[in-house]
Amino acid sequence: MQKQMDTGRPWYKERWFWLLMSGPLLVVIAGFVTFGIIVRGADDMVNDDYYRQGKDINLELKRDLAARSLGIGAQVMFSDDMRSVRVVDTSSKPLPGTPELLLLHPTRQQGDQRIVLQRIGDKLYQGVMKPDQTNHWYVRLQDTQGRWRVQSEWLPAEGTMITLGKTATEQNP
């Protein structure tokens, strides 16, 4: 007596095949999803030219020292709706050069804003900004020629005003 083999069912209809293959299949899918996340969310903070970046840091420090020697200071006031900004020059002398305000995001370079300031009065400047819900900024006031800068951190939850550099009363006690 011979046993008959059941050849009527194809492999893709077997439950055990799909049960055993589901683990490796899920790992492959997770790998593709992870790769997509990595490609879309590349880190902007990585720089492969460390030597040039180190030289640039020294230039940046010279700009800070130049602002300190010129006695540059300012009060930056943001509107409640985060659409406009006013800068009051608190320096003993008018700001040299054409000032501009930068809002720098700590981690996302695409979130940075360059605000063109227009003079609307004696030692008073105003600019328009894009509203953003970010809760941490680096605020920098500088001239467009790159000779001086004053900067500080700003947490919008702590208030809509920030002081950059020295005020006139701190310079002339």
Side-chain angles (χ1 to χ4, degrees):
M1 184 172 244
Q2 293 182 346
K3 289 186 176 182
Q4 292 182 347
M5 298 191 110
D6 185 18
T7 58
R9 203 164 173 186
W11 63 271
Y12 55 85
K13 289 189 177 182
E14 291 293 330
R15 245 183 302 146
W16 286 105
F17 171 78
W18 291 111
L19 183 65
L20 293 174
M21 291 307 292
S22 63
L25 186 62
L26 287 175
V27 170
V28 169
I29 292 170
F32 281 115
V33 169
T34 303
F35 180 74
I37 291 170
I38 290 170
V39 168
R40 277 187 273 123
D43 192 1
D44 293 332
M45 298 183 339
V46 177
N47 187 349
D48 60 348
D49 194 356
Y50 300 106
Y51 179 72
R52 193 184 96 226
Q53 189 176 22
K55 287 173 55 178
D56 290 344
I57 288 172
N58 290 336
L59 290 174
E60 297 292 317
L61 294 176
K62 288 179 184 176
R63 293 172 60 197
D64 293 337
L65 293 173
R68 193 172 302 140
S69 69
L70 292 169
I72 295 175
Q75 292 265 329
V76 181
M77 297 170 285
F78 297 92
S79 65
D80 290 334
D81 63 357
M82 298 294 291
R83 293 186 186 275
S84 66
V85 60
R86 283 195 176 185
V87 177
V88 179
D89 176 13
T90 57
S91 310
S92 54
K93 299 177 184 175
L95 291 176
T98 306
E100 67 180 353
L101 188 71
L102 300 176
L103 291 179
L104 306 170
H105 193 278
T107 57
R108 290 181 296 125
Q109 188 175 7
Q110 66 268 19
D112 295 351
Q113 294 187 39
R114 180 178 303 269
I115 301 169
V116 177
L117 296 175
Q118 295 185 4
R119 187 177 186 154
I120 59 171
D122 188 35
K123 294 189 166 201
L124 184 61
Y125 300 88
Q126 185 169 340
V128 177
M129 59 185 279
K130 293 178 272 183
D132 197 325
Q133 297 301 319
T134 302
N135 57 8
H136 184 218
W137 290 101
Y138 291 107
V139 180
R140 180 183 300 165
L141 180 67
Q142 65 183 17
D143 68 328
T144 55
Q145 293 80 25
R147 292 178 291 200
W148 58 266
R149 74 173 185 182
V150 287
Q151 60 186 0
S152 184
E153 281 186 72
W154 175 50
L155 302 172
E158 294 180 359
T160 58
M161 189 171 77
I162 185 170
T163 301
L164 304 175
K166 292 187 175 185
T167 61
T169 57
E170 291 173 344
Q171 295 164 19
N172 302 323

